[in-house]
Amino acid sequence: MDTDVVIAGAGPNGLLLAAELRLAGVRPIVLERLTERSTEQRANGLVGQVVRALDRRGLAEPLGSEPGGPVPRPEYIFAAMRLALQLIDNNPVYILPSPQAKIEAVLEERALELGAELRRGHELADFTQDDDGVTVEVAGPDGTYSLRARFLVGADGGHSRTRKLAGIDFPGVTHDATVSRGGHASIPAEYIDPATGVLRIPGYGDVPPFMHHRSDRGLFAYAPFPGRQPLVHTSEWDEPDTDEMTFSELQESVDRVLGVHLPLIQESPFVRRNVGGNTRIAERFRAGRVLLVGDAAHVHSAMGGPGLNLGLQDVLNLGWKLAAEVQGWAPEGLLDTYESERRPVGERVVMQTQAQSALVAPGPEVTALRAMFAELLTEPATVQHIADLISGADIRYFDGRHPLIGRAVPDLTVDGVRLAEILRSGRPVLLDLLDGSPYASHTNDHVDLVTGSSDRQVAMLIRPDGYIAWAADDANADGLEDALDKWFQGRVLTKATT
Ligand SMILES: Cc1cc2nc3c(=O)[nH]c(=O)nc-3n(C[C@H](O)[C@H](O)[C@H](O)COP(=O)(O)OP(=O)(O)OC[C@H]3O[C@@H](n4cnc5c(N)ncnc54)[C@H](O)[C@@H]3O)c2cc1C
């Protein structure tokens, strides 16, 4: 074998997967067809539980998170409606504003620091697989060559060649009615309330910054990001212009959506027009020794920014399972739980982004539906439901006797140290915070034992992706040995050395 795993694509998902595999001691080679990191304007930030997940790898702070750990935001949007998150007790909506280019730079640095090999200008051209591995044909700068690996992961985006070559269908829908336009533009100061930043548009009304805003004619958003170029964005349901996109096309679109003239000041040559979009999920996430992550596995509307919340958590789910398989200690069926756990999450993202698209569409019926929905969003229970849905906080991979089982770890401190920091090694952890640490003798070679005191009396078996395999509130719970068997192989349990 030339390497353990070939990853096609050095986008955010391929890069995080490389880092995860290295953390687990597995050798990945990342193939990237571009010779330099992309500067394409895509994500403007990370939204949801992915921020906590990256904090569990020490990657949230380099992306701008508060040093004491990420803090949820007091408000966000759903279908261009305000989500008043201050109304709810358990706010799960964490947001890290950061351009995708920076996210990729941080992930690349981490992957390389951990020893991953990244080959830029090398494109996955073809592959074959057999019982022992995958042979990948690579088109590199000096010609074509082969690489032999145990597994291949397609992190090569929505048009994934890996997916196509694996013969995996990509069913779903293509919508061609929406035309989105964007560009770097600011708005003259006289239109902005200096205290709140709210746009005061004569003849139209107030529009808060950063939030999508719907009129009967389309969507408008103004995002004055601190320290970077402000963005103006519109979406309309019209025939696209076929000429090259221009700044005046953006200006005209803004004026159409608002129904009044709002002057824009061009801040850079960057303008973009996107027509339509796709909502699709791969029919399988695995074909033998080939797996798909991120956009290669699913694409959907970017409304609300769910793409990286979904993709990066695919990767955290897959990384340790794939490493266990490569290292030969994976319990039977472990790798297949990647798809059984992540497909339903992808389906919920498809559901909620399609619902948002329907709720911002034009027409008086939609306006009425929105008015009703806005009433529902004054109810804390509804806000909690939507917040859990869009952030991925409602993920429960599997049930168990304890309510924490199958869920992501809560925020705790153990002897003054945040649990997120304790989990950064990416190893499974048996955390026993109960008096006398009654479960401390139950561990095995793959699991680290952590004891200590915290204001929550609990014991938890935590998977490397931060999800809880088993939990107990007292010393007499059963199920720990079964959980160790199920997730970390049924080795002879050894006395822990603490
Ligand atoms: C306009 C826009 C705004 C968005 N905003 C947000 C947002 O705010 N928040 C959010 O979370 N998400 C957002 N997204 C979605 C997010 O950008 C994607 O989900 C994310 O880029 C997917 O990452 P990926 O690594 O799966 O694929 P990609 O980022 O597409 O990376 C795939 C990589 O594979 C390489 N590649 C392709 N084929 C091959 C091959 N054969 N061999 C080798 N390399 C190959 C490509 O060059 C590319 O570098 C937005 C998307 C768009 C388009």
Side-chain angles (χ1 to χ4, degrees), residues 9-14 31-34 41-45 100 122-124 155-157 161 272 293-295 302 305-309:
N13 292 314
L31 303 174
E32 169 53 57
R33 70 174 170 203
L34 301 178
Q41 300 272 336
R42 293 177 81 181
N44 287 307
Q100 183 154 336
H122 294 241
E123 180 168 4
L124 172 132
D156 44 355
R161 183 176 291 167
R272 164 175 67 202
V293 290
D295 279 16
L308 291 168
N309 193 35

PDB file of all heavy atoms in Angstrom, residues 9-14 31-34 41-45 100 122-124 155-157 161 272 293-295 302 305-309, ligand 1:
ATOM      1  N   GLY A   9      -9.889  15.738  -2.848  1.00  0.00           N
ATOM      2  CA  GLY A   9     -10.451  17.059  -2.566  1.00  0.00           C
ATOM      3  C   GLY A   9      -9.928  17.665  -1.282  1.00  0.00           C
ATOM      4  O   GLY A   9     -10.028  17.072  -0.217  1.00  0.00           O
ATOM      5  N   ALA A  10      -9.323  18.864  -1.418  1.00  0.00           N
ATOM      6  CA  ALA A  10      -8.822  19.596  -0.248  1.00  0.00           C
ATOM      7  C   ALA A  10      -9.702  20.809   0.012  1.00  0.00           C
ATOM      8  O   ALA A  10      -9.227  21.910   0.244  1.00  0.00           O
ATOM      9  CB  ALA A  10      -7.373  20.016  -0.450  1.00  0.00           C
ATOM     10  N   GLY A  11     -11.014  20.612  -0.049  1.00  0.00           N
ATOM     11  CA  GLY A  11     -11.939  21.616   0.479  1.00  0.00           C
ATOM     12  C   GLY A  11     -11.969  21.444   1.991  1.00  0.00           C
ATOM     13  O   GLY A  11     -11.187  20.663   2.557  1.00  0.00           O
ATOM     14  N   PRO A  12     -12.870  22.144   2.670  1.00  0.00           N
ATOM     15  CA  PRO A  12     -12.898  22.044   4.137  1.00  0.00           C
ATOM     16  C   PRO A  12     -13.081  20.610   4.634  1.00  0.00           C
ATOM     17  O   PRO A  12     -12.430  20.209   5.608  1.00  0.00           O
ATOM     18  CB  PRO A  12     -14.095  22.912   4.536  1.00  0.00           C
ATOM     19  CG  PRO A  12     -14.673  23.480   3.299  1.00  0.00           C
ATOM     20  CD  PRO A  12     -13.841  23.102   2.136  1.00  0.00           C
ATOM     21  N   ASN A  13     -13.907  19.837   3.946  1.00  0.00           N
ATOM     22  CA  ASN A  13     -14.185  18.496   4.464  1.00  0.00           C
ATOM     23  C   ASN A  13     -13.015  17.536   4.257  1.00  0.00           C
ATOM     24  O   ASN A  13     -12.685  16.750   5.145  1.00  0.00           O
ATOM     25  CB  ASN A  13     -15.477  17.957   3.847  1.00  0.00           C
ATOM     26  CG  ASN A  13     -16.677  18.761   4.343  1.00  0.00           C
ATOM     27  OD1 ASN A  13     -16.795  19.026   5.535  1.00  0.00           O
ATOM     28  ND2 ASN A  13     -17.543  19.178   3.434  1.00  0.00           N
ATOM     29  N   GLY A  14     -12.367  17.622   3.102  1.00  0.00           N
ATOM     30  CA  GLY A  14     -11.201  16.766   2.868  1.00  0.00           C
ATOM     31  C   GLY A  14     -10.068  17.110   3.825  1.00  0.00           C
ATOM     32  O   GLY A  14      -9.377  16.221   4.347  1.00  0.00           O
ATOM     33  N   LEU A  31      -5.517  14.474  -2.425  1.00  0.00           N
ATOM     34  CA  LEU A  31      -5.311  14.920  -3.804  1.00  0.00           C
ATOM     35  C   LEU A  31      -6.191  16.135  -4.051  1.00  0.00           C
ATOM     36  O   LEU A  31      -7.392  16.096  -3.747  1.00  0.00           O
ATOM     37  CB  LEU A  31      -5.724  13.821  -4.787  1.00  0.00           C
ATOM     38  CG  LEU A  31      -5.036  12.470  -4.627  1.00  0.00           C
ATOM     39  CD1 LEU A  31      -5.667  11.461  -5.595  1.00  0.00           C
ATOM     40  CD2 LEU A  31      -3.533  12.605  -4.894  1.00  0.00           C
ATOM     41  N   GLU A  32      -5.617  17.187  -4.593  1.00  0.00           N
ATOM     42  CA  GLU A  32      -6.407  18.391  -4.882  1.00  0.00           C
ATOM     43  C   GLU A  32      -6.065  18.842  -6.288  1.00  0.00           C
ATOM     44  O   GLU A  32      -4.897  19.089  -6.596  1.00  0.00           O
ATOM     45  CB  GLU A  32      -6.104  19.493  -3.854  1.00  0.00           C
ATOM     46  CG  GLU A  32      -6.671  20.865  -4.194  1.00  0.00           C
ATOM     47  CD  GLU A  32      -8.186  20.876  -4.490  1.00  0.00           C
ATOM     48  OE1 GLU A  32      -8.953  20.440  -3.634  1.00  0.00           O
ATOM     49  OE2 GLU A  32      -8.565  21.320  -5.603  1.00  0.00           O
ATOM     50  N   ARG A  33      -7.091  18.960  -7.122  1.00  0.00           N
ATOM     51  CA  ARG A  33      -6.808  19.291  -8.526  1.00  0.00           C
ATOM     52  C   ARG A  33      -6.333  20.736  -8.700  1.00  0.00           C
ATOM     53  O   ARG A  33      -5.597  21.032  -9.627  1.00  0.00           O
ATOM     54  CB  ARG A  33      -8.009  18.996  -9.409  1.00  0.00           C
ATOM     55  CG  ARG A  33      -9.165  19.925  -9.203  1.00  0.00           C
ATOM     56  CD  ARG A  33     -10.256  19.676 -10.214  1.00  0.00           C
ATOM     57  NE  ARG A  33     -11.420  20.445  -9.816  1.00  0.00           N
ATOM     58  CZ  ARG A  33     -12.642  20.166 -10.171  1.00  0.00           C
ATOM     59  NH1 ARG A  33     -12.881  19.129 -10.937  1.00  0.00           N
ATOM     60  NH2 ARG A  33     -13.632  20.908  -9.780  1.00  0.00           N
ATOM     61  N   LEU A  34      -6.727  21.643  -7.800  1.00  0.00           N
ATOM     62  CA  LEU A  34      -6.270  23.032  -7.917  1.00  0.00           C
ATOM     63  C   LEU A  34      -4.822  23.138  -7.439  1.00  0.00           C
ATOM     64  O   LEU A  34      -4.447  22.506  -6.451  1.00  0.00           O
ATOM     65  CB  LEU A  34      -7.135  23.966  -7.070  1.00  0.00           C
ATOM     66  CG  LEU A  34      -8.634  24.012  -7.384  1.00  0.00           C
ATOM     67  CD1 LEU A  34      -9.354  24.946  -6.411  1.00  0.00           C
ATOM     68  CD2 LEU A  34      -8.859  24.454  -8.822  1.00  0.00           C
ATOM     69  N   GLN A  41     -15.522  33.011  -3.283  1.00  0.00           N
ATOM     70  CA  GLN A  41     -16.368  33.480  -2.183  1.00  0.00           C
ATOM     71  C   GLN A  41     -17.475  32.464  -1.962  1.00  0.00           C
ATOM     72  O   GLN A  41     -18.370  32.343  -2.787  1.00  0.00           O
ATOM     73  CB  GLN A  41     -17.034  34.811  -2.558  1.00  0.00           C
ATOM     74  CG  GLN A  41     -16.098  35.915  -2.869  1.00  0.00           C
ATOM     75  CD  GLN A  41     -15.713  36.672  -1.622  1.00  0.00           C
ATOM     76  OE1 GLN A  41     -16.443  36.663  -0.639  1.00  0.00           O
ATOM     77  NE2 GLN A  41     -14.576  37.317  -1.653  1.00  0.00           N
ATOM     78  N   ARG A  42     -17.402  31.721  -0.883  1.00  0.00           N
ATOM     79  CA  ARG A  42     -18.488  30.774  -0.605  1.00  0.00           C
ATOM     80  C   ARG A  42     -18.970  31.034   0.813  1.00  0.00           C
ATOM     81  O   ARG A  42     -19.559  32.070   1.068  1.00  0.00           O
ATOM     82  CB  ARG A  42     -18.015  29.338  -0.845  1.00  0.00           C
ATOM     83  CG  ARG A  42     -17.726  29.102  -2.324  1.00  0.00           C
ATOM     84  CD  ARG A  42     -17.186  27.732  -2.605  1.00  0.00           C
ATOM     85  NE  ARG A  42     -18.225  26.722  -2.663  1.00  0.00           N
ATOM     86  CZ  ARG A  42     -17.990  25.447  -2.872  1.00  0.00           C
ATOM     87  NH1 ARG A  42     -16.757  25.017  -3.043  1.00  0.00           N
ATOM     88  NH2 ARG A  42     -18.966  24.582  -2.916  1.00  0.00           N
ATOM     89  N   ALA A  43     -18.696  30.110   1.744  1.00  0.00           N
ATOM     90  CA  ALA A  43     -19.250  30.276   3.099  1.00  0.00           C
ATOM     91  C   ALA A  43     -18.755  31.569   3.737  1.00  0.00           C
ATOM     92  O   ALA A  43     -17.613  31.977   3.557  1.00  0.00           O
ATOM     93  CB  ALA A  43     -18.879  29.086   3.951  1.00  0.00           C
ATOM     94  N   ASN A  44     -19.650  32.168   4.500  1.00  0.00           N
ATOM     95  CA  ASN A  44     -19.288  33.351   5.285  1.00  0.00           C
ATOM     96  C   ASN A  44     -19.138  33.004   6.748  1.00  0.00           C
ATOM     97  O   ASN A  44     -18.899  33.881   7.570  1.00  0.00           O
ATOM     98  CB  ASN A  44     -20.353  34.437   5.135  1.00  0.00           C
ATOM     99  CG  ASN A  44     -20.287  35.064   3.778  1.00  0.00           C
ATOM    100  OD1 ASN A  44     -19.229  35.509   3.359  1.00  0.00           O
ATOM    101  ND2 ASN A  44     -21.407  35.066   3.067  1.00  0.00           N
ATOM    102  N   GLY A  45     -19.348  31.757   7.073  1.00  0.00           N
ATOM    103  CA  GLY A  45     -19.191  31.388   8.470  1.00  0.00           C
ATOM    104  C   GLY A  45     -19.716  30.007   8.766  1.00  0.00           C
ATOM    105  O   GLY A  45     -20.280  29.329   7.908  1.00  0.00           O
ATOM    106  N   GLN A 100     -14.814  31.344   3.918  1.00  0.00           N
ATOM    107  CA  GLN A 100     -14.415  29.947   3.700  1.00  0.00           C
ATOM    108  C   GLN A 100     -12.915  29.819   3.454  1.00  0.00           C
ATOM    109  O   GLN A 100     -12.296  28.839   3.882  1.00  0.00           O
ATOM    110  CB  GLN A 100     -15.207  29.343   2.528  1.00  0.00           C
ATOM    111  CG  GLN A 100     -14.891  27.880   2.303  1.00  0.00           C
ATOM    112  CD  GLN A 100     -16.015  27.118   1.634  1.00  0.00           C
ATOM    113  OE1 GLN A 100     -17.176  27.506   1.713  1.00  0.00           O
ATOM    114  NE2 GLN A 100     -15.676  26.025   0.975  1.00  0.00           N
ATOM    115  N   HIS A 122      -2.910  17.667  -8.298  1.00  0.00           N
ATOM    116  CA  HIS A 122      -3.061  16.229  -8.559  1.00  0.00           C
ATOM    117  C   HIS A 122      -4.549  15.888  -8.498  1.00  0.00           C
ATOM    118  O   HIS A 122      -5.188  16.076  -7.465  1.00  0.00           O
ATOM    119  CB  HIS A 122      -2.296  15.404  -7.517  1.00  0.00           C
ATOM    120  CG  HIS A 122      -0.819  15.574  -7.591  1.00  0.00           C
ATOM    121  ND1 HIS A 122       0.053  14.539  -7.858  1.00  0.00           N
ATOM    122  CD2 HIS A 122      -0.039  16.683  -7.459  1.00  0.00           C
ATOM    123  CE1 HIS A 122       1.290  14.997  -7.877  1.00  0.00           C
ATOM    124  NE2 HIS A 122       1.267  16.301  -7.630  1.00  0.00           N
ATOM    125  N   GLU A 123      -5.050  15.380  -9.618  1.00  0.00           N
ATOM    126  CA  GLU A 123      -6.495  15.164  -9.724  1.00  0.00           C
ATOM    127  C   GLU A 123      -6.821  13.678  -9.743  1.00  0.00           C
ATOM    128  O   GLU A 123      -6.175  12.907 -10.459  1.00  0.00           O
ATOM    129  CB  GLU A 123      -6.959  15.816 -11.044  1.00  0.00           C
ATOM    130  CG  GLU A 123      -8.428  15.670 -11.299  1.00  0.00           C
ATOM    131  CD  GLU A 123      -8.900  16.572 -12.445  1.00  0.00           C
ATOM    132  OE1 GLU A 123      -8.051  17.244 -13.067  1.00  0.00           O
ATOM    133  OE2 GLU A 123     -10.110  16.584 -12.696  1.00  0.00           O
ATOM    134  N   LEU A 124      -7.829  13.285  -8.972  1.00  0.00           N
ATOM    135  CA  LEU A 124      -8.306  11.895  -9.066  1.00  0.00           C
ATOM    136  C   LEU A 124      -8.938  11.735 -10.450  1.00  0.00           C
ATOM    137  O   LEU A 124      -9.872  12.469 -10.787  1.00  0.00           O
ATOM    138  CB  LEU A 124      -9.344  11.606  -7.976  1.00  0.00           C
ATOM    139  CG  LEU A 124     -10.039  10.256  -8.104  1.00  0.00           C
ATOM    140  CD1 LEU A 124     -10.056   9.521  -6.780  1.00  0.00           C
ATOM    141  CD2 LEU A 124     -11.454  10.391  -8.641  1.00  0.00           C
ATOM    142  N   ALA A 155     -14.126  13.660  -1.179  1.00  0.00           N
ATOM    143  CA  ALA A 155     -14.494  14.939  -0.553  1.00  0.00           C
ATOM    144  C   ALA A 155     -14.362  15.977  -1.665  1.00  0.00           C
ATOM    145  O   ALA A 155     -13.847  17.065  -1.462  1.00  0.00           O
ATOM    146  CB  ALA A 155     -13.564  15.249   0.615  1.00  0.00           C
ATOM    147  N   ASP A 156     -14.800  15.571  -2.856  1.00  0.00           N
ATOM    148  CA  ASP A 156     -14.527  16.370  -4.060  1.00  0.00           C
ATOM    149  C   ASP A 156     -15.739  17.167  -4.532  1.00  0.00           C
ATOM    150  O   ASP A 156     -15.884  17.428  -5.731  1.00  0.00           O
ATOM    151  CB  ASP A 156     -13.939  15.491  -5.185  1.00  0.00           C
ATOM    152  CG  ASP A 156     -14.651  14.153  -5.360  1.00  0.00           C
ATOM    153  OD1 ASP A 156     -15.551  13.848  -4.562  1.00  0.00           O
ATOM    154  OD2 ASP A 156     -14.308  13.410  -6.298  1.00  0.00           O
ATOM    155  N   GLY A 157     -16.598  17.551  -3.574  1.00  0.00           N
ATOM    156  CA  GLY A 157     -17.627  18.543  -3.866  1.00  0.00           C
ATOM    157  C   GLY A 157     -18.855  17.995  -4.569  1.00  0.00           C
ATOM    158  O   GLY A 157     -18.958  16.798  -4.872  1.00  0.00           O
ATOM    159  N   ARG A 161     -16.353  13.521  -8.737  1.00  0.00           N
ATOM    160  CA  ARG A 161     -15.999  12.469  -9.688  1.00  0.00           C
ATOM    161  C   ARG A 161     -15.964  11.116  -8.976  1.00  0.00           C
ATOM    162  O   ARG A 161     -16.323  10.089  -9.548  1.00  0.00           O
ATOM    163  CB  ARG A 161     -14.638  12.758 -10.334  1.00  0.00           C
ATOM    164  CG  ARG A 161     -14.292  11.708 -11.379  1.00  0.00           C
ATOM    165  CD  ARG A 161     -13.011  12.018 -12.099  1.00  0.00           C
ATOM    166  NE  ARG A 161     -13.154  13.179 -12.961  1.00  0.00           N
ATOM    167  CZ  ARG A 161     -12.136  13.823 -13.517  1.00  0.00           C
ATOM    168  NH1 ARG A 161     -10.908  13.422 -13.294  1.00  0.00           N
ATOM    169  NH2 ARG A 161     -12.329  14.863 -14.287  1.00  0.00           N
ATOM    170  N   ARG A 272     -21.272  38.476  -8.424  1.00  0.00           N
ATOM    171  CA  ARG A 272     -21.573  37.079  -8.754  1.00  0.00           C
ATOM    172  C   ARG A 272     -23.056  36.940  -9.060  1.00  0.00           C
ATOM    173  O   ARG A 272     -23.891  37.599  -8.446  1.00  0.00           O
ATOM    174  CB  ARG A 272     -21.198  36.221  -7.547  1.00  0.00           C
ATOM    175  CG  ARG A 272     -21.771  34.839  -7.568  1.00  0.00           C
ATOM    176  CD  ARG A 272     -21.259  34.005  -6.418  1.00  0.00           C
ATOM    177  NE  ARG A 272     -21.724  34.471  -5.132  1.00  0.00           N
ATOM    178  CZ  ARG A 272     -21.125  34.221  -3.977  1.00  0.00           C
ATOM    179  NH1 ARG A 272     -20.000  33.548  -3.952  1.00  0.00           N
ATOM    180  NH2 ARG A 272     -21.636  34.642  -2.855  1.00  0.00           N
ATOM    181  N   VAL A 293     -18.065  12.205   1.623  1.00  0.00           N
ATOM    182  CA  VAL A 293     -18.365  13.166   2.703  1.00  0.00           C
ATOM    183  C   VAL A 293     -18.685  14.536   2.105  1.00  0.00           C
ATOM    184  O   VAL A 293     -18.269  14.870   0.992  1.00  0.00           O
ATOM    185  CB  VAL A 293     -17.194  13.368   3.703  1.00  0.00           C
ATOM    186  CG1 VAL A 293     -16.967  12.154   4.573  1.00  0.00           C
ATOM    187  CG2 VAL A 293     -15.923  13.812   3.004  1.00  0.00           C
ATOM    188  N   GLY A 294     -19.364  15.347   2.905  1.00  0.00           N
ATOM    189  CA  GLY A 294     -19.605  16.743   2.547  1.00  0.00           C
ATOM    190  C   GLY A 294     -20.470  16.871   1.304  1.00  0.00           C
ATOM    191  O   GLY A 294     -21.390  16.076   1.069  1.00  0.00           O
ATOM    192  N   ASP A 295     -20.150  17.883   0.477  1.00  0.00           N
ATOM    193  CA  ASP A 295     -20.973  18.161  -0.699  1.00  0.00           C
ATOM    194  C   ASP A 295     -20.993  16.985  -1.681  1.00  0.00           C
ATOM    195  O   ASP A 295     -21.919  16.873  -2.481  1.00  0.00           O
ATOM    196  CB  ASP A 295     -20.463  19.418  -1.427  1.00  0.00           C
ATOM    197  CG  ASP A 295     -20.946  20.710  -0.765  1.00  0.00           C
ATOM    198  OD1 ASP A 295     -21.406  20.645   0.402  1.00  0.00           O
ATOM    199  OD2 ASP A 295     -20.849  21.779  -1.398  1.00  0.00           O
ATOM    200  N   ALA A 302     -28.080  27.076   0.276  1.00  0.00           N
ATOM    201  CA  ALA A 302     -27.150  27.611   1.285  1.00  0.00           C
ATOM    202  C   ALA A 302     -27.881  28.461   2.327  1.00  0.00           C
ATOM    203  O   ALA A 302     -27.245  29.051   3.199  1.00  0.00           O
ATOM    204  CB  ALA A 302     -26.069  28.440   0.599  1.00  0.00           C
ATOM    205  N   GLY A 305     -26.866  28.880   5.944  1.00  0.00           N
ATOM    206  CA  GLY A 305     -25.471  28.413   6.067  1.00  0.00           C
ATOM    207  C   GLY A 305     -25.313  27.060   6.740  1.00  0.00           C
ATOM    208  O   GLY A 305     -24.468  26.903   7.621  1.00  0.00           O
ATOM    209  N   PRO A 306     -26.085  26.028   6.308  1.00  0.00           N
ATOM    210  CA  PRO A 306     -25.960  24.731   6.992  1.00  0.00           C
ATOM    211  C   PRO A 306     -24.881  23.797   6.427  1.00  0.00           C
ATOM    212  O   PRO A 306     -24.625  22.742   7.001  1.00  0.00           O
ATOM    213  CB  PRO A 306     -27.345  24.100   6.769  1.00  0.00           C
ATOM    214  CG  PRO A 306     -27.761  24.640   5.434  1.00  0.00           C
ATOM    215  CD  PRO A 306     -27.146  26.007   5.294  1.00  0.00           C
ATOM    216  N   GLY A 307     -24.249  24.176   5.310  1.00  0.00           N
ATOM    217  CA  GLY A 307     -23.388  23.232   4.578  1.00  0.00           C
ATOM    218  C   GLY A 307     -22.236  22.684   5.401  1.00  0.00           C
ATOM    219  O   GLY A 307     -21.991  21.474   5.434  1.00  0.00           O
ATOM    220  N   LEU A 308     -21.517  23.558   6.067  1.00  0.00           N
ATOM    221  CA  LEU A 308     -20.335  23.085   6.793  1.00  0.00           C
ATOM    222  C   LEU A 308     -20.709  22.479   8.139  1.00  0.00           C
ATOM    223  O   LEU A 308     -19.995  21.627   8.665  1.00  0.00           O
ATOM    224  CB  LEU A 308     -19.324  24.225   6.945  1.00  0.00           C
ATOM    225  CG  LEU A 308     -18.689  24.621   5.611  1.00  0.00           C
ATOM    226  CD1 LEU A 308     -17.926  25.934   5.726  1.00  0.00           C
ATOM    227  CD2 LEU A 308     -17.767  23.522   5.108  1.00  0.00           C
ATOM    228  N   ASN A 309     -21.837  22.903   8.707  1.00  0.00           N
ATOM    229  CA  ASN A 309     -22.341  22.246   9.925  1.00  0.00           C
ATOM    230  C   ASN A 309     -22.574  20.771   9.618  1.00  0.00           C
ATOM    231  O   ASN A 309     -22.248  19.891  10.421  1.00  0.00           O
ATOM    232  CB  ASN A 309     -23.645  22.926  10.349  1.00  0.00           C
ATOM    233  CG  ASN A 309     -24.089  22.552  11.754  1.00  0.00           C
ATOM    234  OD1 ASN A 309     -23.272  22.347  12.654  1.00  0.00           O
ATOM    235  ND2 ASN A 309     -25.395  22.459  11.955  1.00  0.00           N
TER     236      ASN A 309
HETATM  237  C1  LIG B   1     -22.404  30.934  -2.357  1.00  0.00           C
HETATM  238  C2  LIG B   1     -22.243  29.910  -1.275  1.00  0.00           C
HETATM  239  C3  LIG B   1     -22.341  30.312   0.050  1.00  0.00           C
HETATM  240  C4  LIG B   1     -22.208  29.374   1.061  1.00  0.00           C
HETATM  241  N1  LIG B   1     -22.301  29.794   2.347  1.00  0.00           N
HETATM  242  C5  LIG B   1     -22.123  28.901   3.351  1.00  0.00           C
HETATM  243  C6  LIG B   1     -22.105  29.327   4.713  1.00  0.00           C
HETATM  244  O1  LIG B   1     -22.209  30.514   5.025  1.00  0.00           O
HETATM  245  N2  LIG B   1     -21.915  28.387   5.664  1.00  0.00           N
HETATM  246  C7  LIG B   1     -21.729  27.070   5.349  1.00  0.00           C
HETATM  247  O2  LIG B   1     -21.574  26.256   6.260  1.00  0.00           O
HETATM  248  N3  LIG B   1     -21.697  26.641   4.062  1.00  0.00           N
HETATM  249  C8  LIG B   1     -21.884  27.519   3.069  1.00  0.00           C
HETATM  250  N4  LIG B   1     -21.824  27.102   1.780  1.00  0.00           N
HETATM  251  C9  LIG B   1     -21.583  25.665   1.494  1.00  0.00           C
HETATM  252  C10 LIG B   1     -20.087  25.307   1.587  1.00  0.00           C
HETATM  253  O3  LIG B   1     -19.338  26.194   0.804  1.00  0.00           O
HETATM  254  C11 LIG B   1     -19.901  23.868   1.107  1.00  0.00           C
HETATM  255  O4  LIG B   1     -20.777  23.034   1.852  1.00  0.00           O
HETATM  256  C12 LIG B   1     -18.457  23.391   1.284  1.00  0.00           C
HETATM  257  O5  LIG B   1     -17.558  24.089   0.460  1.00  0.00           O
HETATM  258  C13 LIG B   1     -18.344  21.909   0.964  1.00  0.00           C
HETATM  259  O6  LIG B   1     -17.030  21.503   1.218  1.00  0.00           O
HETATM  260  P1  LIG B   1     -16.425  20.198   0.538  1.00  0.00           P
HETATM  261  O7  LIG B   1     -15.052  20.061   1.114  1.00  0.00           O
HETATM  262  O8  LIG B   1     -17.381  19.070   0.689  1.00  0.00           O
HETATM  263  O9  LIG B   1     -16.391  20.518  -1.019  1.00  0.00           O
HETATM  264  P2  LIG B   1     -15.686  21.708  -1.807  1.00  0.00           P
HETATM  265  O10 LIG B   1     -15.516  22.903  -0.946  1.00  0.00           O
HETATM  266  O11 LIG B   1     -16.433  21.843  -3.075  1.00  0.00           O
HETATM  267  O12 LIG B   1     -14.232  21.143  -2.086  1.00  0.00           O
HETATM  268  C14 LIG B   1     -14.015  20.101  -3.009  1.00  0.00           C
HETATM  269  C15 LIG B   1     -12.568  20.155  -3.444  1.00  0.00           C
HETATM  270  O13 LIG B   1     -12.313  19.030  -4.267  1.00  0.00           O
HETATM  271  C16 LIG B   1     -11.505  19.430  -5.371  1.00  0.00           C
HETATM  272  N5  LIG B   1     -11.738  18.437  -6.426  1.00  0.00           N
HETATM  273  C17 LIG B   1     -12.850  18.263  -7.185  1.00  0.00           C
HETATM  274  N6  LIG B   1     -12.696  17.218  -8.009  1.00  0.00           N
HETATM  275  C18 LIG B   1     -11.468  16.701  -7.765  1.00  0.00           C
HETATM  276  C19 LIG B   1     -10.745  15.594  -8.286  1.00  0.00           C
HETATM  277  N7  LIG B   1     -11.254  14.797  -9.249  1.00  0.00           N
HETATM  278  N8  LIG B   1      -9.489  15.350  -7.797  1.00  0.00           N
HETATM  279  C20 LIG B   1      -8.952  16.134  -6.826  1.00  0.00           C
HETATM  280  N9  LIG B   1      -9.596  17.210  -6.317  1.00  0.00           N
HETATM  281  C21 LIG B   1     -10.850  17.474  -6.770  1.00  0.00           C
HETATM  282  C22 LIG B   1     -12.001  20.826  -5.693  1.00  0.00           C
HETATM  283  O14 LIG B   1     -11.051  21.557  -6.413  1.00  0.00           O
HETATM  284  C23 LIG B   1     -12.252  21.383  -4.286  1.00  0.00           C
HETATM  285  O15 LIG B   1     -11.091  22.012  -3.769  1.00  0.00           O
HETATM  286  C24 LIG B   1     -21.966  28.007   0.738  1.00  0.00           C
HETATM  287  C25 LIG B   1     -21.848  27.607  -0.594  1.00  0.00           C
HETATM  288  C26 LIG B   1     -21.985  28.545  -1.595  1.00  0.00           C
HETATM  289  C27 LIG B   1     -21.837  28.098  -3.034  1.00  0.00           C
END
